[in-house]
Amino acid sequence: MSILIRDIKELVQVDETGRRFVAGKEMSELKTIKDAWLFMKDGLIHSYGPMSELDMNAFENEDSLTELDATGRMVFPTFCDSHTHLVYPASREIEYIDKIKGLSYEEIAKRGGGILNSAKKISEVSEDELFESAMERLDEIMYMGTGAVEIKSGYGLTVESELKMLRVIKRLKEAHPITIKSTFLGAHAVPPEYKADQTKYVDLVINEMIPRVAADDLADYIDVFCDKGFFTVEDTDRILNAGMKYGLRPKIHANELDYSGGIQVGVKYNALSVDHLEFTGKEEIEALLNSETMPTVLPGAAFFLGMVYAPIREMIDAGLPVALASDFNPGSSPSGNMQFILSMGSIAYKMIPEEGIHSTTINSAYAMGVDETLGTITVGKKANVYITDEIPTYEYMPYYYGSNKVAKVIINGEIK
Ligand code: NIG
Ligand code: FE
């Protein structure tokens, strides 16, 4: 099976440099080919170039070649969404009303809402139901242009329920065509029965959950919500240390609610990413420079919760890379639409379109450990691309916000 897309108005995010992410000033430069073709074969990007150099003889021996005419349309690599909680038992619009009425995220959490609300419901929902509803969400995001997604546990908060969530993610990996990475987030919130003794819950995560997760090979990464009112730097240090012994690299929630020290402890354990980052100052930027940790901002959550926005401009101007992800979850970001996240990068964080495109493709691919196979139009990478509607410029993608501009999605070289 092979596909040739021809007469592409602009082929965007072409990269043969082998770089793993894009940082600082380089984020404002984007390589594209105008009036291009792209050939995909056996699930991979095989070749591409300008139409002036297209030689149809090269495809003579392709027995099942599908030709697509992309006149007026552009082709992008699919989005990589490096931070989601898209396996969950039920929506939480009731607490959203509390939020509208003025209760803060922390107040809602204290009243047993928020993450604990989802954790309570998860035991009432079967593994099959969790799987089916997550499959629908995966289809939804795929048709909006997402070709890779990271999914966390963290609505279980007991050994059994955490394992249940991770088993569901494992099934999703096998059942859904988009690339999926899974993250164990046992330390997402402290269950009420441990409120008086948080250390005892951290002990449970370390002594029982992590070994079971590792034994069944259920997670690629480990996460901790290291923030005010949730897990301390000391808790995080202990959990990441334990995870490291099982080869689980951290990707952590940090500095969403305060200067929590989360960024620093993440860097200390060579986290693949530190995520949220609303409270990022000079010290945090300093810690991230020269690290291998991708600073990841989640515009959907900050927007939905009415938080302060992470200082992305300062971060990029200091020379850092930045990734953007959706944080798709029922509490703080009930949307997995990466086109909207791209727009938010420009609207709320003043990223220029080139920066936004890097942050949602190559940089977010790095942030979930798939940069070798996804995130750019590169020979040999997975043929995960989307074809847009007829659009005037690539800048139009963040500009024309709120509507779907993805016309066709190709995953592993197959039209969806
Ligand atoms: O990334 N910040 C912590 N965790 C999630 C919230 C999940 C929820 O409210 O259910 C987040 O925003
Ligand atoms: Fe999150």
Side-chain angles (χ1 to χ4, degrees):
M1 163 98 189
S2 54
I3 301 176
L4 172 67
I5 313 178
R6 37 181 308 162
D7 293 299
I8 302 168
K9 180 169 183 169
E10 198 159 355
L11 180 61
V12 181
Q13 185 58 311
V14 172
D15 194 330
E16 296 298 338
T17 63
R19 61 186 172 173
R20 303 196 60 189
F21 57 80
V22 188
K25 272 198 186 65
E26 287 187 5
M27 284 188 74
S28 58
E29 292 153 25
L30 184 69
K31 194 157 181 243
T32 70
I33 301 176
K34 288 193 168 138
D35 196 17
W37 57 273
L38 171 67
F39 179 57
M40 295 163 282
K41 186 181 161 84
D42 301 330
L44 302 177
I45 293 173
H46 179 279
S47 46
Y48 57 82
M51 282 301 289
S52 58
E53 290 169 18
L54 176 63
D55 174 12
M56 285 308 288
N57 294 327
F59 310 110
E60 238 167 35
N61 298 326
E62 296 297 332
D63 38 354
S64 60
L65 178 69
T66 303
E67 272 188 64
L68 300 174
D69 176 356
T71 302
R73 303 168 188 272
M74 300 200 181
V75 172
F76 283 69
T78 50
F79 295 109
C80 295
D81 189 353
S82 61
H83 180 140
T84 81
H85 309 248
L86 69 70
V87 171
Y88 59 80
S91 59
R92 298 196 333 236
E93 61 276 20
I94 299 306
E95 108 195 11
Y96 157 74
I97 306 303
D98 286 342
K99 241 171 257 160
I100 293 171
K101 289 181 179 163
L103 265 68
S104 73
Y105 188 60
E106 281 159 299
E107 283 165 338
I108 288 169
K110 276 209 188 93
R111 286 174 22 146
I115 297 162
L116 297 179
N117 187 345
S118 287
K120 221 180 335 176
K121 291 214 174 91
I122 207 133
S123 55
E124 299 158 16
V125 174
S126 74
E127 239 167 276
D128 283 345
E129 285 167 325
L130 280 174
F131 172 80
E132 293 303 336
S133 61
M135 280 293 277
E136 282 175 22
R137 286 175 209 125
L138 287 172
D139 277 349
E140 183 193 348
I141 64 172
M142 178 178 74
Y143 289 115
M144 288 190 294
T146 295
V149 66
E150 180 257 21
I151 312 173
K152 301 171 193 295
S153 68
Y155 293 134
L157 310 181
T158 64
V159 178
E160 268 324 306
S161 293
E162 281 297 308
L163 293 174
K164 174 174 163 181
M165 287 193 75
L166 290 169
R167 281 194 300 268
V168 169
I169 302 172
K170 194 172 188 169
R171 276 176 70 191
L172 295 171
K173 282 186 184 187
E174 287 154 15
H176 205 277
I178 72 174
T179 299
I180 298 173
K181 290 284 182 183
S182 74
T183 300
F184 166 60
L185 176 54
H188 196 191
V190 182
E193 58 274 29
Y194 290 91
K195 265 285 175 250
D197 192 356
Q198 177 153 334
T199 307
K200 215 167 135 202
Y201 183 66
V202 174
D203 290 342
L204 181 77
V205 170
I206 292 173
N207 299 324
E208 294 190 43
M209 293 186 188
I210 294 176
R212 295 275 302 273
V213 168
D216 293 348
D217 197 17
L218 287 174
D220 300 299
Y221 306 112
I222 186 164
D223 193 345
V224 176
F225 189 7
C226 179
D227 230 317
K228 192 172 84 182
F230 288 83
F231 292 88
T232 65
V233 168
E234 199 194 359
D235 297 333
T236 309
D237 202 291
R238 290 183 58 214
I239 294 168
L240 298 189
N241 203 289
M244 202 173 66
K245 294 189 181 124
Y246 291 93
L248 291 169
R249 197 167 171 195
K251 275 176 64 62
I252 72 169
H253 283 74
N255 297 52
E256 176 184 8
L257 307 170
D258 203 355
Y259 293 96
S260 63
I263 292 177
Q264 287 88 335
V265 71
V267 169
K268 176 178 164 193
Y269 284 95
N270 192 30
L272 188 53
S273 71
V274 287
D275 301 20
H276 277 290
L277 315 185
E278 279 73 8
F279 292 86
T280 300
K282 280 207 171 64
E283 270 176 49
E284 285 75 16
I285 289 178
E286 207 51 51
L288 285 162
L289 282 165
N290 303 315
S291 78
E292 292 179 357
T293 301
M294 178 61 67
T296 300
V297 173
L298 311 172
F303 170 66
F304 191 76
L305 298 177
M307 318 258 299
V308 294
Y309 290 130
I312 290 187
R313 279 265 53 94
E314 276 94 324
M315 290 156 72
I316 295 177
D317 293 345
L320 286 174
V322 168
L324 298 180
S326 76
D327 198 15
F328 193 1
N329 77 72
S332 65
S333 188
S335 167
N337 183 349
M338 286 294 284
Q339 296 180 59
F340 177 66
I341 296 302
L342 174 64
S343 294
M344 284 295 292
S346 300
I347 297 166
Y349 296 84
K350 311 293 175 217
M351 299 174 90
I352 60 170
E354 292 79 1
E355 292 171 332
I357 291 166
H358 285 306
S359 68
T360 50
T361 56
I362 183 171
N363 285 3
S364 52
Y366 178 91
M368 59 181 289
V370 298
D371 52 283
E372 283 179 13
T373 52
L374 289 156
T376 52
I377 302 292
T378 299
V379 171
K381 280 196 179 183
K382 282 189 189 176
N384 285 19
V385 305
Y386 63 79
I387 305 174
T388 66
D389 290 335
E390 292 192 21
I391 57 173
T393 58
Y394 66 70
E395 287 90 342
Y396 189 86
M397 287 302 280
Y399 156 80
Y400 197 71
Y401 84 102
S403 67
N404 182 25
K405 298 161 290 289
V406 170
K408 209 183 253 354
V409 182
I410 295 171
I411 301 290
N412 299 321
E414 282 178 29
I415 299 168
K416 292 299 159 192

